[in-house]
């Protein structure tokens, strides 16, 4: 009887001990969890890139878009992967990014500021992972933004006047003046600027040329950002520069116009007898 009791106690102890050992052996099989959360089986490695935020925005030229361009690196099961180097590279438009290289955070996200270039229109920037090969798609994300013109600040010659002319004869190429923002974009919505032309003898347009300069209509009010002039001529043979002015806007000074004497058509006394 004592022998049977002893065997029973030994068997019970072995059963209890066996129930305390994890399945799969003493070391356990704990693969598939990943340090970035998300659970599930399989190893957690970078698979592809996702667009999170910041695409298809508009901003004034030379300023940053409101929402930072943001991407995420994920595994094949959608788990965010940290520690991946992301390059943000401007492709077109001449803008700039705040951080050209960003490492993904604990949840796989990376972002940067994006300032648009000075030319109104399309700006593009690409996010890529240059140090690894992503087996999935997409492997890169392109952000496409639109730069809009700024406020009117200055004038500029959209069409320069002829660089040579004959005294008293209308210039072959008549000037056109544009209303511009600080990045030389034409403000096509401007229909109010009153633009006046005048002649000067220096390239800074500070010394007036005096009598002899004429324009058919002066000033001319801008239409869709442009003032087109006609009948511009100068009766004195000299080099002149044409200045365009409008209240509240920085003036513009043209390239030189070399005015030559007209053909002789009369005789006059320079000294009376």
């Amino acid at each position: 009887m004592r022998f049977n009791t002893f065997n029973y106690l030994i068997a019970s102890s072995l059963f209890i001990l066996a129930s305390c050992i994890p399945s799969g052996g003493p070391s356990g099989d704990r693969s598939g969890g990943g340090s970035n959360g998300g659970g599930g089986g399989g190893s957690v490695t970078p698979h592809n890139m996702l667009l999170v935020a910041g695409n298809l925005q508009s901003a004034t030229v030379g300023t940053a878009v409101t929402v930072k361009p943001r991407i995420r690196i994920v595994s094949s099961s959608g788990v965010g992967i940290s520690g991946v180097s992301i390059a943000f590279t401007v492709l077109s438009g001449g803008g700039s990014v705040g951080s050209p290289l960003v490492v993904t955070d604990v949840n796989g996200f990376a972002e940067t500021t994006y300032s648009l270039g000075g030319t109104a229109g399309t700006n593009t920037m690409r996010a890529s992972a240059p140090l690894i090969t992503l087996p999935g798609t997409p492997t890169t994300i392109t952000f496409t933004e639109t730069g809009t013109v700024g406020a009117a600040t200055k004038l500029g010659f959209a069409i320069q006047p002829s660089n040579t002319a004959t005294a008293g004869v209308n210039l072959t190429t008549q000037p056109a003046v544009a209303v511009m923002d600080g990045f030389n974009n034409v403000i096509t919505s401007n229909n109010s600027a009153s633009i006046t032309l005048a002649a000067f003898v220096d390239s800074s347009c500070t010394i007036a040329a005096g009598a002899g300069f004429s324009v058919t209509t002066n000033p001319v009010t801008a239409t869709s950002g442009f003032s087109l002039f006609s009948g511009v001529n100068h009766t004195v043979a000299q080099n002149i520069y044409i200045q365009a002015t409008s209240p509240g806007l920085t003036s513009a000074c043209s390239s030189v116009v070399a005015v030559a004497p007209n053909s002789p058509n009369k005789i006059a006394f320079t000294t009376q007898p």
Side-chain angles (χ1 to χ4, degrees):
M1 185 71 178
R2 284 179 297 174
F3 177 79
N4 290 337
T5 301
F6 178 76
N7 288 344
Y8 174 77
L9 292 174
I10 293 298
S12 297
S13 299
L14 291 174
F15 174 78
I16 294 172
L17 179 62
S19 66
C20 292
I21 299 176
S23 61
S27 62
D29 182 7
R30 296 173 177 81
S31 64
S35 62
N36 296 289
S43 61
V44 181
T45 58
H47 184 264
N48 63 284
M49 185 181 297
L50 299 177
L51 168 62
V52 178
N55 193 31
L56 300 178
Q57 301 182 79
S58 295
T60 303
V61 291
T63 67
V65 292
T66 303
V67 179
K68 295 179 181 179
R70 193 180 202 203
I71 60 90
R72 192 184 193 199
I73 296 294
V74 294
S75 68
S76 59
S77 59
V79 176
I81 307 297
S82 65
V84 179
S85 295
I86 303 300
F88 291 101
T89 308
V90 173
L91 299 179
S92 68
S96 63
V97 295
S99 301
L101 192 65
V102 180
V103 176
T104 56
D105 64 17
V106 67
N107 294 309
F109 295 106
E111 66 181 22
T112 185
T113 57
Y114 182 22
S115 295
L116 305 186
T119 302
T122 301
N123 288 244
T124 57
M125 183 266 288
R126 180 178 61 207
S128 63
L131 303 183
I132 62 173
T133 299
L134 296 173
T137 57
T139 58
T140 65
I141 297 293
T142 298
F143 295 87
T144 302
E145 323 290 10
T146 301
T148 58
V149 296
T153 62
K154 64 181 182 179
L155 300 177
F157 279 89
I159 300 177
Q160 289 282 349
S162 306
N163 56 13
T164 60
T166 301
V169 178
N170 290 346
L171 302 183
T172 301
T173 302
Q174 295 288 303
V177 179
V179 181
M180 299 178 170
D181 66 10
F183 291 92
N184 297 327
N185 297 294
V186 178
I187 313 298
T188 56
S189 60
N190 188 290
N191 296 294
S192 59
S194 179
I195 301 175
T196 303
L197 299 185
F200 292 78
V201 296
D202 64 308
S203 60
S204 299
C205 288
T206 57
I207 304 172
F213 184 75
S214 64
V215 185
T216 298
T217 302
N218 200 24
V220 172
T221 301
T223 300
S224 298
F226 294 94
S227 286
L228 308 180
F229 292 87
S230 61
V232 178
N233 72 81
H234 192 60
T235 60
V236 179
Q238 62 181 155
N239 288 347
I240 64 169
Y241 299 83
I242 299 174
Q243 184 188 56
T245 59
S246 184
L249 300 176
T250 301
S251 63
C253 194
S254 77
S255 54
V256 65
V257 180
V259 182
N262 207 326
S263 300
N265 59 12
K266 63 180 180 180
I267 297 175
F269 286 99
T270 56
T271 303
Q272 291 292 333

